[in-house]
Amino acid sequence: MNLESELYNSEHIILESIKSFLSKTLPQLEWDRSNKEDTVLDAGCGPGGTTFQFVLPLFPNVKKILAVDLVPEAIEFAKKYNSHPLIEYSVANLEDWSTLKHWEGQITKLVSVYCINWLKNQQNAFRNIFKLLKKGGEAAIVFAVESRFYDAILEVQNNPKWSSFLTNIETLIPESHLKKWNSTHYKKMLEDIGFEIVYCRNEVTTDVMPSEERFRNFFSSMCVLIPHVPKDRREELKNDFIEELLRQNGRNSNGLPLYTSNVLELIIRKSESSKI
């Protein structure tokens, strides 16, 4: 995944819809009950802001919170700025079982926030989650099934001004966005793997960004197109991408940028009777 790591880490925005899921929905569903025998995994923790600010308060009494991400720079940032005695940060990839297998069957609770949407093989990631969980263990997962961020990526990629640089590249646009998958698709996928569906909510959300500067810095740091154009034109591409993203999402009555996506919230359980 191509990130402007320093910019992404320093400008990381925790969306209000994510805050609501972690700090309101999960406690309401009694998902915050834990003890010192529990091991929690935050899969796709990024720079650790969500882990420190929201996952840690959910589980103050657990044995350990493991927090992993595939971007080494993000993990280094997390260790430096979002450290805590209960949190252990490390590099791992939710799609690559070889980076996870030493935790097989040890995880009581797994949290994943806006990670699944970046993965090529989402089904494989969910299989790995299943193998990580203890019998009776649960995972709380939230991610964008569709997003206007991806629409803006596609629009810029197909613009004749840039298309010559951007053919045959990996844009990390998930299959769910292109094929417009919804909760029905994921329920079947998860049940086929062996999960019990505890909670499932599919909703279009619109978040208000804190400022245009934060909006510009955060989303341009994730624009996977930028590394593929000549260095002397990257700022121009960045500006075009942000302008397209603003056009796609609009602004509120106070002029602040909006961000709209189709979000899936899940709580899934590995059955006590599971053979794995």
Side-chain angles (χ1 to χ4, degrees), residues 127-154:
R127 286 197 187 101
N128 287 341
I129 290 170
F130 189 83
K131 290 189 286 185
L132 285 166
L133 290 172
K134 290 182 175 182
K135 292 181 180 181
E138 293 183 346
I141 298 168
V142 56
F143 65 99
V145 178
E146 294 181 68
S147 167
R148 291 183 184 171
F149 173 84
Y150 298 123
D151 288 328
I153 290 280
L154 290 168

Side-chain angles (χ1 to χ4, degrees), residues 115-264:
C115 170
I116 296 291
N117 48 290
W118 287 110
L119 305 182
K120 285 183 181 179
N121 192 333
Q122 295 179 355
Q123 187 174 35
N124 188 53
F126 280 116
R127 286 197 187 101
N128 287 341
I129 290 170
F130 189 83
K131 290 189 286 185
L132 285 166
L133 290 172
K134 290 182 175 182
K135 292 181 180 181
E138 293 183 346
I141 298 168
V142 56
F143 65 99
V145 178
E146 294 181 68
S147 167
R148 291 183 184 171
F149 173 84
Y150 298 123
D151 288 328
I153 290 280
L154 290 168
E155 192 69 28
V156 173
Q157 183 184 17
N158 295 323
N159 187 322
K161 178 180 178 180
W162 300 109
S163 57
S164 62
F165 301 108
L166 304 175
T167 56
N168 301 317
I169 67 167
E170 178 54 70
T171 57
L172 297 177
I173 294 174
E175 199 172 3
S176 62
H177 181 88
L178 299 173
K179 295 186 177 179
K180 302 191 182 304
W181 289 346
N182 57 23
S183 58
T184 302
H185 174 90
Y186 283 98
K187 282 180 178 179
K188 184 179 187 310
M189 177 196 296
L190 294 166
E191 287 170 347
D192 286 347
I193 291 170
F195 283 109
E196 299 172 359
I197 312 294
V198 178
Y199 169 86
C200 179
R201 184 186 184 201
N202 198 178
E203 182 180 27
V204 175
T205 65
T206 298
D207 288 278
V208 180
M209 298 294 100
S211 70
E212 182 158 341
E213 181 181 12
R214 294 286 307 282
F215 176 90
R216 178 175 294 272
N217 289 342
F218 178 58
F219 286 110
S220 63
S221 76
M222 297 189 294
C223 181
V224 295
L225 306 177
I226 292 172
H228 298 283
V229 302
K231 288 185 178 179
D232 63 349
R233 299 197 65 187
R234 288 181 182 178
E235 198 62 30
E236 182 184 1
L237 175 62
K238 185 184 295 185
N239 288 334
D240 285 0
F241 169 69
I242 292 300
E243 289 306 311
E244 178 59 30
L245 192 59
L246 283 167
R247 189 188 71 80
Q248 293 270 358
N249 286 278
R251 300 174 185 269
N252 71 0
S253 58
N254 294 320
L256 290 172
L258 301 172
Y259 175 61
T260 298
S261 52
N262 183 0
V263 175
L264 183 63

Side-chain angles (χ1 to χ4, degrees), residues 77-135:
F77 186 97
K79 288 178 178 179
K80 186 174 181 180
Y81 295 105
N82 289 304
S83 64
H84 187 276
L86 279 180
I87 305 174
E88 181 181 304
Y89 292 106
S90 58
V91 177
N93 182 351
L94 198 53
E95 288 184 285
D96 183 355
W97 181 244
S98 69
T99 69
L100 304 166
K101 61 184 181 182
H102 45 290
W103 296 312
E104 183 173 7
Q106 297 180 35
I107 306 303
T108 314
K109 300 277 192 181
L110 184 145
V111 179
S112 182
V113 176
Y114 271 61
C115 170
I116 296 291
N117 48 290
W118 287 110
L119 305 182
K120 285 183 181 179
N121 192 333
Q122 295 179 355
Q123 187 174 35
N124 188 53
F126 280 116
R127 286 197 187 101
N128 287 341
I129 290 170
F130 189 83
K131 290 189 286 185
L132 285 166
L133 290 172
K134 290 182 175 182
K135 292 181 180 181

